[in-house]
Amino acid sequence: DDVADKDVMPFFTLPAEYAFVARALSQMDGVGKNLDPDFDFISASAPYLVEIKGAKSYLRDEALKFIRGWQDAGVAWQKRLLKKSGFDASRYT
């Protein structure tokens, strides 16, 4: 039971102000990614949005990102170590 976009769109309305804000945000994200492919608009703007999101949620999310970064770095280090010792980890991932 697929629903076509044309069937849904008449029920979806967005105030013009929200549409303009969404367009501006997507353009800022696009410019940032063109200048720096690793640019993350949400992370870059997060410190300014703490009051909206709440400090507790912001700190929890940042801690989780930090932990995931360390985990990813550890996995990458293990793969490099295994590859140097002659084991090709890419066959198993």
Side-chain angles (χ1 to χ4, degrees):
D1 298 356
D2 293 333
V3 178
D5 287 345
K6 66 181 175 93
D7 297 330
V8 175
M9 291 310 291
F11 302 103
F12 181 76
T13 59
L14 184 67
E17 294 84 7
Y18 293 153
F20 291 137
V21 169
R23 183 175 179 192
L25 292 174
S26 72
Q27 287 176 339
M28 285 189 280
D29 184 53
V31 169
K33 289 207 186 294
N34 280 332
L35 295 173
D36 179 5
D38 294 329
F39 177 74
D40 181 11
F41 180 75
I42 300 300
S43 294
S45 61
Y48 304 102
L49 300 174
V50 172
E51 292 179 20
I52 295 169
K53 186 176 183 180
K56 185 176 180 179
S57 295
Y58 174 74
L59 291 173
R60 183 189 66 235
D61 292 348
E62 288 300 309
L64 287 172
K65 277 195 268 185
F66 179 77
I67 291 168
R68 287 186 190 118
W70 274 100
Q71 288 174 337
D72 293 345
V75 169
W77 177 81
Q78 290 172 353
K79 284 183 179 180
R80 285 193 307 273
L81 181 64
L82 289 170
K83 193 170 188 175
K84 283 184 181 180
S85 42
F87 181 78
D88 185 13
S90 65
R91 297 185 327 178
Y92 301 99
T93 57

